[in-house]
Amino acid sequence: MDEVRTQVAIIGAGPAGMLLSHLLAAEGVGSVVVETRSEEYVASRIRAGILEQSTVDLLRATGLGERLDAEGHRHRGIYLQWPGERHHLDFVDLTGRSVWVYGQTEVQKDLVAARTAAGQQVYYEVGDTALHDLETDHPSVTFTDASGAEVRVRADAVAGCDGSFGPSRCAVPSSVRQQWERVYPYSWLGILADVAPSTDELIYAWHPDGFALHSMRSSSVSRFYVQVPNDTSLDDWSDDRIWTALADRLGHGQDGWSLETGPITDRSVLPMRSFVATPMRHGRLFLAGDAAHIVPPTGAKGLNLAVADVALLAPALAALVRGSSSLADSYSDTALRRVWRCTHFSWWMTSMLHTSGDPFDAELQLSQLRWVCSSRAGAAGLAENYAGLPIGF
Ligand code: RFL
Ligand code: PHB
């Protein structure tokens, strides 16, 4: 077996893993990243689209802001709507913070470019990833590399950044692991379309037929979602059916607003769940991002939470490899405070905006929406959570 020695072995080359290797390098700490998929596959997955203020601050402060500043779009807020009414919430006015439209695909490209320029060792297309000796101070990760050779990476610490299906979470023994889960009775059907956005900022729409979201990626590419039942097949949703649902739910024709349509270039159905696993640290294993928690996408928090985790984890690991364990010891508790805040916010946005079929729920949702849109305190609460609390909150 080939042996490689590094300070931190990182499992997963998604945003959490690649940003962690970037932040560790800035602290003078070496890492090796292992990833089951190819570089191209990881870079092209269409996922999150909104970066909160502290994510943007961190990317800029660590030399990753150039393309974001040139190509990202800063938004002051969002629109919330229900039939007959559309309201703008101005986060800048309410909290002094804003959000940016900049796709996860772009963040991933910037991370890969920065790590490649720095000579980062990333093993793509590995198999049989396994974690060893986590309760000692000489843990290791083994895998089969793309050529079929067996490799062992010996490290001072292992970072489990391998998303919701990776092996890291289950390496925390079930005797100490606790898990919380909420599965929602609906999914999102998401599309990417080659059409200019019909709105300047995102529209979150409550509608009796189900939730709809108008998002965007650039001045010529729009992203849309409609609430659909679980187990929906894409075969049942023709382009016409998708555009009709979006037009109805987003209010085409109301107050002179119209929804422009265009060729659909990507489509998928996303199930929605909330999930938290604790602790986020066991021995020399540290979990970050989707490996430890999943949120439904309604609050646009998944990617931002992964970034916030590694922003805490990098200095904790840097101190640990230099012999000081206090930040590593507090990592799980500190990270989980934000995780639960975002878990609540994502659940709250999801519960407020998705129709359940229960008329009592619908009246409560409309009452909540009216309050959020008419009370400065209500609007500020949403704005503070959506634009994101400071790292370390
Ligand atoms: P990722 O991005 O899933 O990366 C984890 C990486 O680990 C690799 N991996 C392994 N590597 C080595 N050995 C193994 N055994 C491995 N097993 C897995 C995987 O191949 C992968 O490359 O997790 P990370 O870095 O924590 O980043 C989190 C974000 O990607 C995630 O929170 C968001 O994308 C969530 N999310 C969305 N968030 C939003 O805010 N808005 C969205 O519209 C949105 N859409 C989505 C999403 C997540 C999705 N997933 C995970 C199903 C749409 C989808 C489809
Ligand atoms: C997206 O653009 O993909 C997006 C935006 C906001 C959300 C979820 C997804 O809440």
Side-chain angles (χ1 to χ4, degrees):
M1 186 176 286
D2 295 344
E3 295 244 350
V4 178
R5 167 75 206 169
T6 189
Q7 288 172 298
V8 180
I10 300 175
I11 308 177
M18 292 302 267
L19 181 57
L20 180 62
S21 79
H22 179 75
L23 298 179
L24 286 173
E27 304 248 12
V29 175
S31 63
V32 167
V33 183
V34 303
E35 164 63 51
T36 38
R37 304 291 194 159
S38 68
E39 183 179 325
E40 299 67 38
Y41 181 92
V42 177
S44 60
R45 285 186 296 213
I46 311 283
R47 290 185 171 179
I50 295 286
L51 305 184
E52 61 185 41
Q53 178 84 53
S54 34
T55 298
V56 169
D57 292 346
L58 178 82
L59 295 176
R60 283 178 174 160
T62 58
L64 294 166
E66 198 178 316
R67 225 161 51 86
L68 162 65
D69 283 328
E71 295 173 29
H73 293 268
R74 177 173 176 258
H75 283 192
R76 291 184 66 93
I78 57 167
Y79 295 96
L80 276 183
Q81 76 168 48
W82 55 95
E85 297 205 35
R86 179 177 294 170
H87 297 265
H88 188 246
L89 300 188
D90 189 317
F91 301 160
V92 178
D93 177 36
L94 290 159
T95 69
R97 295 165 78 78
S98 41
V99 294
W100 275 255
V101 168
Y102 194 63
Q104 184 167 329
T105 44
E106 306 312 306
V107 175
Q108 185 73 27
K109 273 185 221 157
D110 295 344
L111 284 165
V112 170
R115 297 318 300 137
T116 304
Q120 174 68 42
Q121 190 166 17
V122 184
Y123 290 87
Y124 285 101
E125 300 181 62
V126 308
D128 307 320
T129 313
L131 297 80
H132 309 273
D133 303 323
L134 300 169
E135 291 167 9
T136 72
D137 56 8
H138 47 82
S140 66
V141 175
T142 55
F143 57 90
T144 311
D145 77 10
S147 71
E150 290 184 12
V151 182
R152 180 182 296 273
V153 179
R154 294 193 185 278
D156 298 322
V158 175
C161 302
D162 44 0
S164 47
F165 303 110
S168 296
R169 185 173 60 244
C170 293
V172 178
S174 52
S175 54
V176 294
R177 185 167 18 112
Q178 262 195 290
Q179 300 191 161
W180 290 264
E181 184 169 34
R182 170 72 41 96
V183 176
Y184 298 89
Y186 31 72
S187 302
W188 280 10
L189 191 162
I191 62 163
L192 203 60
D194 279 339
V195 60
S198 303
T199 176
D200 56 342
E201 298 193 339
L202 273 62
I203 305 172
Y204 287 79
W206 183 97
H207 191 277
D209 294 348
F211 170 71
L213 171 61
H214 185 336
S215 181
M216 60 198 72
R217 287 293 179 274
S218 68
S219 55
S220 57
V221 175
S222 298
R223 177 89 167 135
F224 299 93
Y225 299 95
V226 285
Q227 176 187 342
V228 292
N230 284 344
D231 300 321
T232 289
S233 164
L234 283 174
D235 298 341
D236 296 335
W237 283 78
S238 64
D239 289 15
D240 264 2
R241 184 175 177 198
I242 294 171
W243 288 118
T244 303
L246 284 167
D248 288 348
R249 299 182 195 189
L250 290 168
H252 177 78
Q254 280 172 33
D255 296 329
W257 184 79
S258 56
L259 176 70
E260 301 302 324
T261 65
I264 297 176
T265 56
D266 187 89
R267 67 188 79 208
S268 58
V269 173
L270 319 174
M272 312 249 285
R273 69 183 179 124
S274 299
F275 177 85
V276 181
T278 67
M280 287 172 65
R281 182 243 179 127
H282 178 72
R284 289 283 174 132
L285 169 66
F286 298 80
L287 302 178
D290 281 14
H293 40 71
I294 303 289
V295 288
T298 326
K301 284 285 160 255
L303 171 61
N304 293 296
L305 205 44
V307 169
D309 285 351
V310 298
L312 286 178
L313 184 53
L317 291 177
L320 184 70
V321 301
R322 295 187 179 115
S324 162
S325 65
S326 60
L327 286 176
D329 292 343
S330 58
Y331 167 70
S332 179
D333 287 347
T334 310
L336 281 166
R337 282 216 304 273
R338 187 189 197 87
V339 168
W340 279 114
R341 177 86 302 279
C342 293
T343 300
H344 175 268
F345 176 66
S346 303
W347 163 86
W348 177 74
M349 286 284 281
T350 301
S351 312
M352 176 169 72
L353 287 162
H354 292 74
T355 48
S356 67
D358 180 329
F360 180 75
D361 283 351
E363 292 304 327
L364 294 182
Q365 291 173 320
L366 289 167
S367 169
Q368 177 86 342
L369 282 163
R370 277 187 220 105
W371 175 69
V372 165
C373 293
S374 59
S375 145
R376 189 168 173 95
L382 188 151
E384 193 172 75
N385 282 282
Y386 194 106
L389 293 148
I391 304 256
F393 158 81

